[in-house]
Amino acid sequence: MSVLPSPPFVPVEGIHNFRDLGGYPLSTIPSKSVRRNIIFRCAEPSQITPNGIQTLKSLGVTTFFDLRSGPEIENMKARSPVVEIEGIDRVFVPVFVDKDYSPEQIALRYNDYASSGTGGFTRAYQDILQSAPPSYRHILLHLAEKPEQPCVIHCTAGKDRTGVLAALILELAGVDRDTIAQEYALTELGLKAWRPIIVEHLLQNPALEGRREGALNMVSAR
């Protein structure tokens, strides 16, 4: 397995795409940057190992914010059960309260999401922004009121709902948009090891049957 660049990636055994959202320079004050080791982003943590838990505790993580919906978690629990970690609060803040927004359901909702164009991504991300304010507000208030308490933000792959929020946080902090786009694109590296498994699972979806290129596009961050 290839070693991911650190920073920003942090090797947490059993969690894919785990990285620090800090360290990026502010466009308004180039001598300043987003604080490191305060905000982390990742994919769902159901396969975390005891070593991974120790890493989280060494990072001082106090809170996990789960952006997934209730139906999504219910549908995933057989293969990806919810993990509760002693000493770390899991806060359920779904972007979509009663919708299954897993990659499989996105494929059904936005048929062209899996095409080579950007139309499906644009519609999906607009949908996220329209539904996310209560969820994102909760997390932003945490950052404002408890700036010394490191937290982790995740959805399923840590790409779409998590990526939109990460971009908003960096923009609010004053990071330029080219840098924000580069941070988003790091998911290509973060999901590389997990991508074959995700793609095979997606190909079982009727909306993507036989469309390997489309499934690969769905888990890309180009």
Side-chain angles (χ1 to χ4, degrees):
M1 182 183 295
S2 60
V3 177
L4 295 171
S6 179
F9 288 97
V10 181
V12 177
E13 195 172 279
I15 302 182
H16 294 281
N17 201 23
F18 194 104
R19 62 189 195 261
D20 191 344
L21 206 56
Y24 296 100
L26 308 186
S27 59
T28 51
I29 315 173
S31 61
K32 301 284 188 179
S33 62
V34 179
R35 287 178 62 192
R36 292 191 187 275
N37 301 318
I38 294 296
I39 311 169
F40 300 95
R41 56 175 294 182
C42 66
E44 60 87 10
S46 64
Q47 304 304 311
I48 191 168
T49 67
N51 285 339
I53 291 172
Q54 288 305 310
T55 300
L56 291 179
K57 292 188 174 182
S58 71
L59 291 170
V61 171
T62 64
T63 309
F64 255 77
F65 289 107
D66 189 341
L67 302 175
R68 296 174 297 170
S69 69
E72 181 179 354
I73 292 171
E74 181 67 21
N75 290 339
M76 292 177 66
K77 68 180 183 180
R79 67 179 189 276
S80 303
V82 170
V83 173
E84 302 284 356
I85 301 172
E86 185 178 356
I88 298 178
D89 292 331
R90 175 183 172 271
V91 182
F92 179 56
V93 282
V95 169
F96 300 96
V97 176
D98 57 359
K99 293 180 183 177
D100 184 342
Y101 209 80
S102 61
E104 298 92 326
Q105 290 305 310
I106 293 175
L108 292 172
R109 191 172 295 121
Y110 308 101
N111 191 44
D112 57 350
Y113 184 82
S115 71
S116 58
T118 59
F121 275 97
T122 300
R123 278 183 283 281
Y125 283 21
Q126 287 174 338
D127 202 359
I128 289 171
L129 282 171
Q130 289 171 359
S131 299
S135 170
Y136 287 2
R137 179 179 184 273
H138 193 108
I139 298 169
L140 293 172
L141 283 174
H142 171 93
L143 296 174
E145 296 171 357
K146 301 176 181 179
E148 304 300 325
Q149 295 187 16
C151 66
V152 177
I153 303 164
H154 78 89
C155 48
T156 298
K159 181 175 82 75
D160 299 323
R161 288 160 291 185
T162 301
V164 171
L165 177 56
L168 287 173
I169 290 171
L170 293 179
E171 176 137 357
L172 287 170
V175 177
D176 71 86
R177 290 190 174 184
D178 285 344
T179 301
I180 292 171
Q182 291 167 13
E183 195 288 325
Y184 170 83
L186 287 172
T187 291
E188 282 287 301
L189 287 175
L191 292 180
K192 186 176 181 180
W194 196 26
R195 186 172 292 114
I197 296 171
I198 300 175
V199 167
E200 291 306 317
H201 184 72
L202 287 172
L203 288 172
Q204 297 173 23
N205 185 315
L208 288 168
E209 189 173 359
R211 297 173 61 193
R212 181 170 293 275
E213 184 177 352
L216 285 167
N217 189 53
M218 282 196 65
V219 292
S220 76
R222 294 174 292 179

